[in-house]
Amino acid sequence: ESKYLVSESITSLDEKIHNFMRIHRSVIVNPNYVSEIRSYFNSKYIIVLNDSNKTSLTSGRSYTQNVKKLTQW
C-alpha cells in the first residue's frame, strides 16, 4: 500500500488528473479500480475498490452525478 503526502488541494488534483473521478469532497478515485457500486441512502453510494482490502468508500450527496458516470465507465 502506497501513501503520498501532497500539499495541493483535492480540487487542484482533480483538475490535473483527468482519469480520476471525484466522489466526495475529500476523495478522488480511479474508475479502473472500482469493482462495485451500491446504492446507500440519502443519494449516497458505497464504492468498493478492486484492491486486496476491498476498500469501501462512501460518496457525498453532491457527487451523485459523478458516481452515476462511474456506472457507465
Side-chain angles (χ1 to χ4, degrees), residues 11-33:
T11 301
S12 175
L13 286 173
D14 189 30
E15 291 170 357
K16 290 180 181 179
I17 307 173
H18 299 291
N19 59 334
F20 279 64
M21 189 164 290
R22 194 159 184 180
I23 62 162
H24 189 274
R25 69 182 194 153
S26 62
V27 179
I28 56 176
V29 298
N30 183 335
N32 296 322
Y33 288 92

Side-chain angles (χ1 to χ4, degrees), residues 35-73:
S35 66
E36 185 180 351
I37 299 172
R38 295 186 296 234
S39 182
Y40 194 37
F41 72 94
N42 205 11
S43 298
K44 294 182 182 180
Y45 292 87
I46 301 292
I47 291 90
V48 181
L49 300 182
N50 188 18
D51 62 359
S52 60
N53 298 324
K54 296 293 182 192
T55 304
S56 293
L57 305 168
T58 305
S59 69
R61 287 182 297 161
S62 59
Y63 297 95
T64 299
Q65 291 302 316
N66 286 359
V67 175
K68 288 182 179 181
K69 288 178 189 174
L70 278 175
T71 63
Q72 299 167 358
W73 196 267

